[in-house]
């Protein structure tokens, strides 16, 4: 209480008593508080000699029967209440919340009972922690009721105190009430009464033991419990429910039980029981889907059930309401909340967010939570939330509190961002696990929804773009970890679902394209194709058909259509795109030239290697004219032209072209540039294809040393070079060494790229192939069978690599002694390949060749001859009569014709083949002697009795 000023002052008529800023008068639990000036009224018989001036005397606050006064008090009479006699046991202080409708005992409840009661050792303090709405209070109430109603000598209670612990004053009030009722505490002094109660709980020698349970429900701040923790007692137990996860709460041996969401079964049981008898005959699938929409959060399910009962809405209709982005979560709440709930779902976390924003680093918790609200609820990489765009967003949107934050805000550091995540974790608004690099931050989908609902349209769009920028900034350039790449894709999918048009304003965000390319690079070519099909439609809708971003989406769609096996469809798509780019951008625009390059590549993949080479030769002239001879795209076009010349049958010419390109790469880029090293690898490949397998292996061995020096041993390019070196060693005759090299390489690839990466699966395929080539056909078949399961799981049954694995498995089964089974497997595979890749695709023709071969090996030589004759015609029409594959089909046709008993016919076909090869390849080509030997064999067979078989074949 403020006192009057008694200092000496001049004796003037204007002097007086001045009282100001005396503060608030706050009293609780029957107490009394007075502030201001206490004394006789001015101008009364007992008035002071001078006037009294009062200002800013504060507020009078009284609760629970207390008296408070502030200002001027002439006379004050206080009547003390006498202490009451202690209430006999058993005694309950406070009211246990009633059981919720359809309450069910959960796994967390069983853990609570086991943890508290079992083991033979008293567990004194327990904490039920978890996000708001998971049912902590209901679990605590169930435990308290069970303990209170336990009439056994060992398990019963003498005293139960239920405390609404959301503020320190409420804790003191309840403790004081218990002190008054149980131990004659002074009702006029709540703080002392509370301390008296805590002292009374402390066990005392010779006193009758008191079995007590204190429940502190919804502790909002650990500081509220300073000096108010119940004492340790062999007869007492304390149970705390809180959203907080501070170390201060879990200290001194207090055990923590994390309360999570309903399981799928618990959620279904709850909804079924809640809606039973209210006219809702919903299927289990529909209820389960609703539970998933609400993240199986008990509070959300309770309010949803109340809404359905009150409105008569169907579950399907309610789910549509939830799915509508234009509908705020508050609009899906019932008019009257069930189970004595205080807040609708939309407001369940607002106080926690407000409190989080006051903790250090002040003002960052809310914008950080807002950023996470647009990403994947199941896991966000921490690097995304500490990236430069994320930090810039946090700096710009930091909550301002107080004059000290006026002016330009300080830049937020990565450490500040991590601390903000820790704050949100402490208040159970997110789960933050620093050790989980891929999915370090998890946040419930309804917290995300309510957070987004608070944003203005401008804030919404700005935050969505910031989240997209953060994903792009953190996305690894080289995806060495497949799980991490999948996490980034999942976050982009979630962001796209929340952001709406924001990712298309002012243009289509790069993250939309990065996601599709990531799918393709991971080997999921079908998913990549479907992604870009959708992106093409959305960019066209938002930006128009002639917008550059729409063209880019169409470009990627065509590319992945080709990778998925639809080379003809991709070629048509690139042809249409080329026409549109010429119309809109002009014939010499870089993007137009790029489209021409893609179109040429697809022609080659569709089987027209010569046409691809011709198109790339024309493109090269234009690249040189528009960009110059040393431009990166010009050099790339030269490399692609060399590749397709080799595929068209001129391996030596391809090697010569790459040798020239290598000189220019070294001159323009330097010897250690990645593109220079790639060109060296391609040159080695085509030297091997030209017949110098040993030279290819030597060149790759030299390249490997440089890859390791420049890029490191774990770089993807280094691993690719190791794989190519192993392959060419096998082609040079060291098949066993190749198999050993692939076996040694595999664990490195798994460690660097992950077990499901495309290069990992390719390494397994190469290892199986080499084992089969080394003579272990059965082991190779087993390895391909295992690989097939994984490729189906990772890539899907129609992915080109999956189909290739099926072909390899069938081939190895034939080599292992089951030619009929191999033929059957190829016959079963062929229609799938035709459906996926088309009838004229090179791989389709290869499957036809394998099917013909194994039919012959299984005894149907005539059928094999007919099939090879048809294949020869098809390859000659698609690839040209001078293509190596056409020559191979031609020779096989001759072989199986002879095996079918027509040696004379075999002679005729072989003579035609030999004449053509000498004319095209020259008499010195290494394959010509093989054909001469075959011709001699069939001439000899034709002179003998028909029906004898030979084994030589080209």
């Amino acid at each position: 209480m403020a006192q009057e000023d008694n200092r000496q002052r001049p004796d003037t008529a204007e002097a007086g008593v001045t009282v100001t800023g005396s503060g608030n008068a706050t009293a609780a639990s029957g107490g009394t508080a007075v502030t201001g000036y206490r004394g006789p009224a001015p101008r009364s018989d007992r008035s002071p000699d001078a006037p009294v001036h009062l200002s800013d005397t504060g507020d009078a606050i009284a609760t629970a029967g207390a008296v408070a006064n502030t200002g001027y008090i002439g006379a004050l009479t206080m009547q003390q209440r006498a202490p009451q006699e202690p209430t006999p046991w058993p005694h309950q202080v406070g009211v246990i919340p009633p059981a919720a409708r359809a309450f069910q005992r959960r796994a967390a409840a069983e853990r609570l009972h086991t943890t508290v009661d079992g083991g033979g050792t008293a567990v004194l303090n327990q904490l039920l922690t978890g996000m708001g709405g998971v049912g902590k209070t209901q679990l605590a109430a169930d435990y308290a009721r069970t303990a209170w109603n336990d009439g056994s000598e060992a398990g019963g209670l003498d005293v139960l105190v239920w405390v609404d612990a959301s503020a320190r004053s409420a804790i003191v009030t309840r403790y004081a009430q218990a002190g008054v009722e149980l131990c004659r505490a002074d009702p006029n002094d709540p703080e002392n009464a509370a301390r008296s109660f805590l002292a009374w709980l402390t066990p005392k020698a010779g006193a009758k033991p008191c079995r007590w349970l204190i429940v502190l429900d919804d502790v909002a701040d650990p500081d509220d419990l300073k000096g108010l923790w119940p004492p340790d007692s062999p007869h007492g137990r304390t149970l705390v429910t809180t959203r907080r996860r501070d170390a201060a709460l879990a200290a001194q041996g207090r055990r923590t039980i994390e309360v999570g969401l309903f399981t799928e079964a618990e959620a279904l049981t709850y909804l079924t029981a809640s809606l039973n008898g209210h006219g809702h005959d919903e299927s289990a699938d529909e209820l389960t889907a609703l539970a998933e929409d609400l993240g199986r959060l008990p509070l959300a399910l309770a309010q949803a059930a109340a809404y359905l009962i009150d409105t008569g809405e169907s579950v399907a209709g309610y789910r549509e309401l939830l799915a509508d982005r234009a509908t705020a979560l508050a609009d899906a709440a019932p008019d009257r909340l069930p189970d004595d709930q205080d807040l609708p779902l939309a407001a369940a976390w607002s106080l926690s967010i407000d409190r989080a924003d006051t903790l250090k680093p002040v003002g960052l918790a809310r914008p950080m939570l807002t950023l996470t609200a647009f990403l994947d609820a199941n896991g966000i990489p921490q690097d995304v939330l500490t990236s430069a765009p994320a930090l810039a967003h946090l700096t710009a949107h930091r909550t301002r509190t107080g004059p000290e934050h006026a002016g330009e805000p300080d830049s937020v550091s990565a450490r500040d961002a991590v601390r903000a995540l820790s704050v949100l974790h402490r208040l159970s608004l997110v789960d933050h696990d620093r050790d989980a690099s891929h999915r370090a931050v998890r946040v419930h989908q309804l917290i995300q929804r309510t957070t987004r609902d608070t944003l203005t349209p401008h804030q919404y769009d700005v935050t969505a773009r910031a989240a997209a920028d953060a994903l792009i900034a953190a996305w690894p350039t080289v995806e060495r970890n497949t799980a991490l790449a999948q996490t980034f894709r999942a976050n982009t999918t979630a962001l796209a679902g929340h952001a709406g048009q924001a990712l298309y304003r002012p243009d289509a965000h790069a993250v939309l394209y990065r996601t599709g390319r990531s799918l393709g690079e991971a080997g999921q070519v079908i998913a990549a194709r479907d992604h870009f099909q959708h992106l093409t439609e959305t960019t066209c809708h938002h930006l128009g058909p002639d917008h550059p971003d729409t063209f880019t989406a169409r470009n990627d769609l065509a590319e992945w259509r080709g990778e998925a096996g639809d080379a003809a469809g991709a070629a048509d798509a690139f042809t249409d795109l080329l026409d549109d780019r010429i119309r809109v951008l002009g014939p010499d625009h870089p993007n137009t030239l790029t489209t021409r390059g893609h179109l040429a590549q697809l022609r080659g993949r569709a089987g027209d290697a010569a046409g691809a080479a011709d198109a790339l030769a024309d493109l090269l002239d234009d690249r040189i004219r528009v960009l110059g001879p040393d431009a990166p795209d010009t050099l790339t076009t030269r490399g692609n032209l060399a590749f397709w010349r080799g595929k068209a049958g001129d391996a030596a010419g391809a090697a010569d072209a790459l040798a020239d390109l290598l000189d220019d790469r070294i001159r323009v880029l330097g010897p250690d540039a990645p593109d220079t090293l790639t060109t060296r690898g391609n040159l080695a490949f085509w030297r091997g294809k030209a017949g110098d397998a040993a030279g290819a292996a030597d060149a790759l061995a030299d390249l490997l040393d440089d890859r390791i020096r420049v890029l490191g041993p774990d770089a993807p390019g280094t691993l690719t070079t190791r794989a190519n070196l192993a392959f060419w060693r096998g082609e040079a005759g060291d098949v066993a060494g190749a198999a050993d090299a692939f076996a040694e390489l595999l664990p490195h690839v798994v460690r660097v790229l992950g077990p499901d990466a495309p290069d990992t699966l390719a390494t397994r395929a190469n290892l199986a192939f080499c084992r089969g080539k080394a003579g272990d056909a059965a082991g190779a078949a087993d390895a391909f069978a295992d690989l097939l399961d994984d490729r189906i799981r990772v890539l899907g049954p129609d992915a080109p690599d999956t189909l290739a694995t099926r072909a390899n498995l069938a081939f190895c089964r034939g080599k292992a002694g089951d030619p009929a089974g191999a033929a059957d497997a190829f016959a079963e595979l062929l229609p799938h390949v035709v459906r996926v890749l088309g009838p004229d695709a090179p791989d389709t023709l290869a499957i036809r060749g394998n099917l013909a071969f194994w039919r012959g090996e299984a005894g149907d030589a005539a059928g094999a001859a007919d099939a090879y004759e048809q294949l020869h015609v098809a390859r000659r029409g698609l690839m040209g009569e001078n293509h190596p594959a056409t020559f191979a089909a031609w020779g096989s046709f001759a072989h199986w014709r002879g095996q079918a008993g027509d040696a004379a016919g075999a002679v005729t076909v072989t003579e035609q083949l030999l004449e053509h090869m000498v004319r095209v390849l020259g008499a010195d080509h290494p394959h010509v002697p093989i054909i001469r030997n075959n011709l001699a064999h069939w001439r000899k067979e034709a002179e003998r009795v028909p029906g004898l078989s030979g084994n030589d074949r080209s």
Side-chain angles (χ1 to χ4, degrees):
M1 180 170 65
Q3 301 294 321
E4 60 182 298
D5 190 349
N6 292 320
R7 293 175 297 175
Q8 294 289 329
R9 57 177 63 87
D11 187 12
T12 65
E14 296 300 320
V17 178
T18 299
V19 179
T20 184
S22 60
N24 299 333
T26 303
S29 298
T32 303
V34 178
T35 64
Y37 172 79
R38 179 181 176 187
R43 298 181 182 86
S44 67
D45 293 341
R46 301 171 55 226
S47 67
D49 295 335
V52 178
H53 300 280
L54 301 175
S55 64
D56 298 328
T57 56
D59 300 325
I61 304 169
T63 59
V67 176
N69 208 334
T70 181
Y72 184 93
I73 303 169
L76 178 66
T77 300
M78 297 173 59
Q79 184 174 1
Q80 300 279 351
R81 286 189 296 170
Q84 68 182 52
E85 290 300 314
T87 304
W89 307 342
H91 183 62
Q92 176 179 326
V93 180
V95 178
I96 302 173
R101 176 180 51 198
F103 174 80
Q104 54 183 312
R105 295 290 290 272
R106 300 158 60 186
E110 300 303 324
R111 291 197 301 272
L112 174 62
H113 283 266
T114 301
T115 303
V116 173
D117 295 334
T121 302
V123 179
L124 305 179
N125 298 320
Q126 300 297 321
L127 284 83
L128 289 176
T129 68
M131 65 177 286
V134 293
K136 301 180 296 295
T137 296
Q138 281 293 314
L139 290 171
D142 174 68
Y143 178 77
R145 274 191 298 272
T146 302
W148 184 245
N149 294 326
D150 185 355
S152 67
E153 186 68 24
L157 291 178
D158 298 313
V159 170
L160 168 63
V161 181
W162 183 279
V163 183
D164 295 322
S166 57
R168 183 179 179 88
S169 61
I171 301 171
V172 170
T173 297
R174 186 67 74 214
Y175 279 5
Q177 179 186 352
V180 169
E181 296 176 5
L182 292 167
C183 55
R184 297 175 56 85
D186 183 356
N188 301 298
D189 191 344
E191 289 285 347
N192 278 330
R195 286 191 289 271
S196 296
F197 171 62
L198 293 175
W200 180 82
L201 293 176
T202 303
K204 300 169 184 64
K208 178 183 177 182
C210 177
R211 300 166 301 173
W212 52 262
L213 170 63
I214 311 296
V215 180
L216 296 159
D217 183 40
D218 194 23
V219 172
D221 190 335
D223 287 346
D224 290 344
L225 286 174
K226 283 184 178 179
L228 296 178
W229 279 98
D232 291 345
S233 169
H235 311 295
R237 291 166 283 175
T238 302
L239 178 60
V240 175
T241 74
T242 181
R243 303 182 188 189
R244 301 291 292 259
R245 293 188 277 203
D246 302 72
L249 284 172
Q252 299 179 9
R254 300 167 192 142
R255 296 186 182 178
T256 300
I257 297 175
E258 290 280 350
V259 181
L261 307 168
F262 274 153
T263 65
E264 182 178 317
E266 289 169 344
L268 177 59
T269 300
Y270 176 84
L271 286 174
T272 302
S274 297
L275 297 175
N276 186 36
H278 293 283
H280 282 274
D281 185 17
E282 311 283 356
S283 70
D285 289 343
E286 197 71 50
L287 293 177
T288 298
L290 173 60
E292 293 302 320
D293 290 345
L294 296 170
R296 302 200 305 272
L297 182 68
L299 179 66
L301 298 182
Q303 295 191 9
Y307 183 95
L308 293 171
I309 293 170
D310 291 347
T311 63
E313 180 70 81
S314 68
V315 170
Y318 188 72
R319 292 186 63 210
E320 289 179 5
L321 182 67
L322 290 174
D324 185 358
R325 280 188 58 245
T327 301
L329 197 58
D331 296 331
D335 293 333
R336 297 291 180 268
L337 299 180
D339 303 327
D340 290 339
Q341 294 170 8
D342 296 324
L343 295 172
L345 186 62
W349 303 285
S350 59
L351 293 178
S352 294
I353 297 172
D354 291 342
R355 186 178 293 272
D357 237 7
T358 66
L359 301 178
K360 296 179 181 179
V362 176
L364 286 186
R366 187 184 299 276
M368 176 62 83
L369 184 63
T370 302
L371 202 57
T372 67
F374 285 82
L375 298 170
D376 184 20
N378 295 313
I380 308 165
Q382 180 174 293
D383 288 347
V384 173
L385 301 173
T386 58
S387 65
L391 299 180
H393 179 80
L394 294 174
T395 300
H397 296 85
R398 189 171 198 162
T399 305
R400 308 298 180 89
T401 55
E404 68 273 14
H405 293 288
E408 289 296 321
D410 294 334
S411 296
V412 175
S413 66
R415 182 172 180 270
D416 292 332
V418 173
R419 291 173 64 203
L421 290 170
S422 297
V423 167
L424 293 169
H425 176 83
R426 283 163 53 195
L427 274 79
S428 296
L429 291 166
V430 306
D431 289 322
H432 180 213
D433 182 357
R434 299 190 188 192
D435 296 328
S437 58
H438 303 345
R439 299 182 181 274
V441 180
R442 298 173 185 265
V443 54
H444 194 275
Q445 63 204 58
L446 293 182
I447 293 181
Q448 291 182 311
R449 176 74 174 269
T450 57
T451 302
R452 295 194 303 270
D453 283 349
T454 65
L455 301 177
T456 66
H458 175 70
Q459 292 171 332
Y460 199 101
D461 290 354
V462 166
T463 307
R465 297 288 293 197
D469 291 342
L471 284 170
I472 281 292
W475 206 311
T477 302
V478 178
E479 295 180 355
R480 295 183 175 88
N481 189 303
T482 54
L484 179 60
Q486 173 56 35
T487 300
F488 272 92
R489 294 194 296 269
N491 274 271
T492 305
T493 300
L495 172 61
H498 301 320
Q501 298 182 10
L503 296 185
Y504 299 90
R505 295 174 179 168
D507 49 28
H509 198 281
V511 76
L512 299 171
Y513 299 88
R514 184 70 183 90
T515 300
R517 292 163 190 163
S518 174
L519 284 168
E521 291 163 6
Q524 300 181 47
V525 292
I526 304 297
R529 178 200 64 194
D530 294 344
H531 173 87
F532 281 110
Q533 177 67 55
H534 176 72
L535 185 58
T536 297
E537 294 167 358
T538 55
T539 51
C540 184
H541 172 73
H542 290 294
L543 303 174
D546 290 340
H547 192 280
D549 290 347
T550 304
F551 286 162
T552 301
R554 289 174 60 190
N555 181 90
D556 283 286
L557 171 59
E559 179 179 351
W560 291 109
R561 280 182 71 177
E563 292 293 335
D566 184 11
D572 291 342
F574 271 124
T575 299
D576 293 341
L577 176 61
L578 179 60
D579 292 341
D580 288 336
R581 276 185 159 163
I582 291 173
R583 174 177 55 81
V584 176
L585 304 176
D588 291 339
H589 191 280
N591 289 347
T592 303
L593 299 178
T594 297
T595 304
R596 287 175 59 188
H598 285 306
L599 182 56
Q601 297 263 46
L602 276 168
R603 283 180 178 168
R605 291 177 195 168
D608 185 9
D614 291 342
L616 287 166
D618 292 340
L619 175 62
L620 180 60
D621 292 340
D622 289 332
R623 290 272 200 201
I624 293 172
R625 175 178 56 81
V626 174
L627 304 176
D630 293 337
D633 284 347
T634 303
L635 299 178
T636 298
T637 301
R638 288 175 60 187
N640 291 334
L641 173 57
F643 174 83
W644 286 110
R645 280 180 174 165
K647 294 293 284 184
D650 186 9
D656 292 342
L658 287 166
D660 293 339
L661 176 61
L662 180 59
D663 292 339
D664 290 332
R665 290 273 199 201
I666 293 173
R667 174 178 56 81
V668 175
L669 304 176
D672 291 338
D675 284 346
T676 302
L677 299 178
T678 298
T679 301
R680 287 174 60 186
N682 291 334
L683 173 57
F685 175 84
W686 285 111
R687 281 180 174 166
K689 283 293 186 180
D692 186 9
D698 291 341
L700 288 166
D702 293 339
L703 175 60
L704 180 60
D705 292 338
D706 290 333
R707 289 273 199 192
I708 292 173
R709 174 179 56 82
V710 175
L711 304 176
D714 291 339
T718 303
L719 299 177
T720 297
T721 301
R722 287 182 63 182
N724 290 334
L725 174 57
F727 173 81
W728 285 110
R729 280 180 174 165
E731 291 296 300
D734 184 10
V735 179
D740 290 342
F742 278 119
E744 182 182 350
L745 174 62
L746 182 59
H748 292 282
V749 177
V750 171
R751 174 177 56 81
V752 175
L753 303 179
D756 293 337
D759 284 350
T760 302
L761 301 178
T763 302
R764 289 172 59 187
N766 285 324
L767 175 57
F769 174 81
C770 288
R771 283 179 174 167
K773 198 170 183 180
D776 184 12
D782 291 340
F784 276 121
D786 292 339
L787 176 61
L788 180 60
D789 291 339
D790 289 332
R791 276 189 158 157
I792 291 173
R793 173 179 56 82
V794 175
L795 306 178
D798 290 340
D801 284 346
T802 304
L803 299 176
T805 302
R806 289 181 62 182
N808 286 327
L809 174 58
F811 184 87
C812 288
R813 283 178 174 165
K815 295 294 284 185
D818 184 12
D824 291 342
F826 277 114
E828 181 182 352
L829 174 61
L830 181 59
H832 293 282
V833 176
V834 170
R835 175 177 55 82
V836 174
L837 304 181
D840 296 334
D843 286 347
T844 303
L845 301 180
I847 297 299
R848 288 175 59 185
N850 279 296
L851 174 56
F853 173 78
W854 288 110
R855 278 181 175 166
E857 290 293 311
D860 184 10
D866 291 342
Y868 271 119
E869 183 178 20
Q870 296 172 17
L871 179 61
H872 171 234
V873 172
R875 280 182 167 168
R876 186 173 59 194
L878 293 169
M879 300 176 173
E881 61 182 6
N882 299 331
H883 195 281
T886 304
F887 290 155
W890 203 343
S892 295
F893 167 42
H895 168 79
W896 287 107
R897 192 165 184 177
Q899 290 286 59
D902 186 6
V907 169
T908 301
V909 174
T910 307
E911 287 175 341
Q912 294 170 348
L913 172 60
L914 178 62
E915 179 186 359
H916 192 84
M917 289 182 70
V918 170
R919 177 166 49 83
V920 173
L921 303 178
D924 296 332
H925 191 278
H927 290 172
V928 170
I930 298 174
I931 302 303
R932 291 188 189 278
N933 288 337
N934 289 341
L935 178 58
H937 168 77
W938 290 118
R939 282 175 174 169
K940 183 177 179 181
E941 288 295 313
E943 295 172 355
R944 298 173 58 186
V945 179
L948 297 179
S949 64
N951 293 318
D952 293 337
R953 58 182 178 273
S954 60

